[in-house]
């Protein structure tokens, strides 16, 4: 739909950017921090670094936050490392970890930056993983306890909370993201295991939402999955049906549960057909119904296209140029390329219009306010002879997505914040520090820490004007 005049971004719109603890903090074994599954990794893709130093935000948070303030951040979305708070996941609370995040939050408040806190961003305590991870029902109570420690410590300072980052990708891409037990051999066992983990995460999330509302009824909490509307590869009815299938499995399973406290019907039938249905404990249904979010946060990078399964058992295709991330399942859908979209250096399709489509779809299904918690472009950024980064490609990417976000707001979608990925360069989950997403350059290479200087990129200056003007200028 075309409009004669666009609605402005709401007053008080939360402009900022995002990071996660394990990708930016470093200090992996300092001040009583326990091992996470990230710290316990024994191998990395060739030519990529580990996460032990990352961007050294742990020691440089004051400098970083001051720079965020100079750029005009209204908000900063970051995660708390579970293992800084409870080193073994469910034992003694670590006072030094509590003190660190008090200092981070206080520093943000000092600069009038609204903290948005993610409680869990991929970095499960290794001690819990050794006991079965999320497959072990005990992890539900461990997370609920951890969440309440956070609420009790920081609840009077933090208004916006996010439960679990990209839970859907941890299930759909469990082997790539380390949530799967490597001892499992058959595909059916792997999927069964993952969907049991998923159920436990859903229950844990609902408990956290319930408990925050009880303790701090004026605070806000929501899930943070990766959501992207799925297109049919063609108008062929079977392709449309395949897209319907994958939308249910990839997107609505997670948001129906978070927003409505119930399993998506088609996703449940899929699990029944495949033998993946989780075991539910007495009382789970009631807990899930009580855990209602105040908003929906989601990460958006690109859409996907699918076609009908061909029944040849070969429906998985490489997605986004990353061999670790595949999509497609025999008898359900087959991954397909979208010939109408350009791609990044890493092969990921770029679809700003799909961003608007996704915003519309989520709003129409749930009528909850929306917060975009990740959206960004990874690239091989380089300092030029003037020690500047001329990342016009990132400016173009962000501009196109912000334009479509404003169009969605004009459509009637309620959006209250945008925190692209990422505030500063960090360590990519699969591709080290060479794949840079930051608005701020961190001066290090994969195996040479250099001086870790912070250098705002051209995109940082551009985005600073967007935040100052509460939207794009003409």
């Amino acid at each position: 739909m075309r409009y004669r005049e666009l609605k402005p971004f709401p007053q008080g719109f939360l402009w900022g950017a995002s990071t996660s603890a394990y990708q930016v903090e470093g200090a992996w074994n300092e001040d009583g921090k326990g091992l996470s599954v990230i710290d316990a990794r024994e191998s990395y893709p060739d030519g990529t670094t580990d996460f032990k130093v990352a961007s050294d935000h742990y020691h440089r948070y004051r400098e970083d936050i001051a720079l965020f303030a100079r750029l005009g951040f209204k908000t900063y979305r970051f995660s708390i490392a579970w293992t800084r708070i409870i080193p073994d996941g469910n034992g003694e609370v670590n006072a030094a970890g509590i003190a660190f995040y008090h200092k981070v939050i206080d520093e943000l408040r000092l600069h009038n930056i609204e903290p948005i806190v993610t409680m869990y961003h991929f970095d499960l305590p290794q001690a819990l993983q050794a006991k079965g991870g999320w497959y072990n029902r005990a992890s539900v109570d461990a997370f609920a306890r951890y969440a309440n420690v956070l609420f009790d410590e920081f609840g009077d300072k933090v208004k916006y909370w996010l439960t679990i980052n990209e839970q859907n990708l941890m299930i759909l891409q469990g082997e790539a993201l380390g949530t799967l037990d490597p001892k499992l051999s058959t595909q059916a066992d792997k999927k069964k295991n993952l969907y049991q983990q998923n159920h436990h995460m859903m229950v844990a999330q609902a408990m956290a939402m319930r408990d925050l509302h009880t303790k701090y009824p004026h605070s806000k909490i929501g899930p943070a999955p990766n959501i992207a509307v799925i297109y049919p590869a063609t108008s062929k009815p079977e392709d449309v049906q395949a897209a319907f299938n994958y939308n249910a499995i990839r997107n609505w399973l997670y948001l129906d549960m978070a927003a409505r406290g119930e399993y998506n019907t088609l996703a449940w039938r899929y699990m029944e057909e495949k033998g993946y249905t989780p075991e539910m404990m007495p009382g789970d249904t009631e807990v899930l119904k009580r855990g209602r979010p105040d908003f929906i946060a989601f990460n958006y990078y690109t859409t996907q296209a699918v076609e009908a399964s061909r029944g040849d058992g070969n429906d998985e295709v490489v997605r986004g140029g990353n061999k670790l991330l595949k999509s497609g399942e025999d008898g359900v859908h087959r991954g397909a390329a979208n010939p109408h979209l350009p791609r990044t250096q890493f092969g990921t399709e770029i679809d700003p219009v799909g961003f608007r489509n996704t915003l519309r779809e989520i709003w129409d299904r749930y009528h909850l306010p929306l917060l975009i918690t990740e959206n960004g472009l990874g690239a091989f950024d380089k300092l030029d002879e003037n020690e500047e980064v001329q990342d016009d490609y990132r400016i173009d990417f962000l501009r196109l997505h912000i334009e479509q976000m404003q169009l969605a707001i004009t459509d009637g979608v309620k959006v209250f914040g945008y925190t692209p990925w990422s505030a500063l360069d960090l360590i990519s989950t699969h591709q080290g520090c060479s794949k840079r997403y930051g608005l701020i350059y961190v001066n290090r290479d994969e195996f040479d820490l250099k001086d870790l200087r912070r250098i705002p990129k051209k995109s940082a200056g551009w985005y600073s004007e967007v935040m100052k003007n509460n939207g794009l200028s003409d």
Side-chain angles (χ1 to χ4, degrees):
M1 186 181 296
R2 296 178 182 173
Y3 297 100
R4 291 186 296 273
E5 185 176 352
L6 299 184
K7 290 184 178 180
F9 285 91
Q11 289 300 311
F13 190 83
L14 294 176
W15 297 99
S18 290
T19 64
S20 83
Y22 78 90
Q23 292 174 277
V24 76
E25 284 182 359
W28 69 287
N29 62 350
E30 294 187 31
D31 297 331
K33 181 183 177 297
L35 288 180
S36 73
V37 293
I38 305 296
D39 302 319
R41 283 180 62 174
E42 296 180 352
S43 63
Y44 298 86
D46 289 344
T48 63
T49 188
D50 57 31
F51 298 88
K52 292 181 178 179
V53 176
S55 304
D56 198 33
H57 181 66
Y58 188 80
H59 299 111
R60 299 166 183 254
Y61 70 91
R62 286 193 177 91
E63 170 192 348
D64 291 337
I65 291 169
L67 182 49
F68 299 163
R70 288 199 297 274
L71 291 173
F73 280 30
K74 306 297 187 292
T75 192
Y76 173 49
R77 179 246 180 170
F78 64 99
S79 75
I80 287 177
W82 191 339
T83 51
R84 285 202 194 281
I85 304 299
I86 306 175
D88 66 357
N90 199 24
E92 294 295 319
V93 174
N94 177 31
I98 294 288
F100 170 70
Y101 290 110
H102 270 299
K103 289 185 288 187
V104 170
I105 293 165
D106 290 345
E107 197 72 16
L108 290 167
R109 288 290 182 200
L110 179 66
H111 289 280
N112 296 313
I113 297 173
E114 186 76 48
I116 299 175
V117 174
T118 309
M119 291 187 280
Y120 169 49
H121 192 125
F122 295 164
D123 50 353
L124 187 71
Q126 177 61 23
L128 295 183
Q129 182 70 12
K131 298 175 182 177
W134 281 107
Y135 185 75
N136 185 342
R137 179 77 189 202
S139 292
V140 174
D141 292 331
F143 181 82
R145 176 176 174 243
Y146 163 61
N148 276 275
V149 171
L150 298 186
F151 300 154
D152 291 343
E153 285 290 340
F154 310 119
D156 60 346
K157 299 179 179 181
V158 176
K159 179 179 179 181
Y160 296 102
W161 296 89
L162 308 175
T163 52
I164 300 173
N165 179 76
E166 295 192 337
Q167 178 178 333
N168 54 337
L169 295 195
M170 284 192 280
I171 304 308
L172 292 164
Q173 310 292 347
E175 290 182 88
L177 294 176
T179 44
L180 187 63
D181 184 346
K183 297 188 293 293
L184 297 172
S185 57
T186 70
Q187 192 65 20
D189 286 344
K190 292 176 182 178
K191 291 277 192 175
K192 175 77 172 176
N193 180 287
L194 286 166
Y195 280 106
Q196 187 67 54
Q197 291 189 48
N198 183 57
H199 179 73
H200 290 161
M201 278 191 261
M202 292 291 193
V203 175
Q205 172 176 260
M207 287 179 173
M209 291 192 290
R210 176 200 65 194
D211 292 347
L212 179 70
H213 288 145
T214 299
K215 292 183 173 184
Y216 292 93
H218 298 297
S219 293
K220 308 292 184 184
I221 190 167
N226 181 305
I227 302 296
V229 166
I230 307 302
Y231 299 139
T234 73
S235 57
K236 182 180 177 183
E238 290 81 1
D239 290 351
V240 175
Q241 191 172 81
F244 198 98
N245 292 343
Y246 196 40
N247 267 309
I249 295 164
R250 187 198 189 282
N251 297 320
W252 314 138
L253 164 61
Y254 302 89
L255 288 183
D256 281 5
M257 182 60 78
R260 299 170 179 166
E262 60 190 27
Y263 274 95
N264 176 275
T265 303
L266 183 58
W268 185 261
R269 284 294 298 122
Y270 157 77
M271 289 187 286
E272 283 184 325
E273 175 64 23
K274 298 287 186 176
Y276 306 154
T277 50
E279 295 180 13
M280 300 176 68
M281 296 287 287
D284 281 0
T285 300
E286 290 73 19
V287 170
L288 292 167
K289 282 289 186 184
R290 287 189 63 191
R292 294 301 182 89
D294 302 289
F295 60 88
I296 290 173
F298 72 102
N299 301 344
Y300 176 88
Y301 289 92
T302 187
T303 50
Q304 290 177 247
V306 299
E307 60 183 353
S309 173
R310 299 177 188 175
D312 57 7
N314 189 33
D315 285 336
E316 282 202 334
V317 296
V318 174
R319 176 168 62 81
N322 189 336
K323 293 181 181 179
L324 293 172
L325 302 180
K326 298 182 178 182
S327 65
E329 187 170 357
D330 191 31
V332 183
H333 71 280
R334 185 184 186 93
N338 190 331
H340 305 289
L341 299 176
R343 292 175 178 264
T344 70
Q345 290 176 303
F346 295 90
T348 304
E349 292 166 345
I350 301 173
D351 187 5
V353 176
F355 185 34
R356 180 185 182 187
N357 293 338
T358 301
L359 285 160
R360 281 178 165 189
E361 189 72 24
I362 299 172
W363 172 253
D364 285 347
R365 285 182 70 90
Y366 305 107
H367 282 274
L368 286 168
L370 303 182
L371 169 66
I372 294 88
T373 39
E374 291 182 27
N375 173 235
L377 178 72
F380 293 119
D381 297 333
K382 300 294 182 184
L383 289 176
D384 64 17
E385 64 277 8
N386 298 316
E387 292 206 316
E388 297 175 346
V389 178
Q390 305 297 331
D391 57 339
D392 294 271
Y393 40 83
R394 182 168 291 108
I395 293 172
D396 291 341
F397 180 95
L398 294 173
R399 178 190 291 112
L400 291 169
H401 284 78
I402 292 170
E403 285 175 352
Q404 292 297 322
M405 180 168 53
Q406 186 172 7
L407 283 164
I409 289 170
T410 306
D411 291 330
V413 178
K414 294 190 184 305
V415 185
F416 69 93
Y418 179 70
T419 60
W421 190 259
S422 56
L424 68 164
D425 286 342
L426 37 68
I427 310 301
S428 171
T429 302
H430 302 295
Q431 290 155 311
C433 72
S434 298
K435 185 180 185 181
R436 297 176 182 268
Y437 282 90
L439 296 162
I440 300 163
Y441 186 89
V442 175
N443 191 37
R444 64 159 293 178
D445 291 334
E446 295 290 354
F447 304 106
D448 182 357
L449 293 177
K450 298 185 177 180
D451 58 7
L452 292 165
R453 268 183 307 138
R454 276 54 171 154
I455 303 169
K457 302 175 187 177
K458 185 176 181 180
S459 60
W462 174 84
Y463 188 52
S464 179
E465 288 299 307
V466 173
M467 293 186 285
K468 176 182 175 182
N469 295 327
N470 196 32
L472 298 168
S473 58
D474 294 334

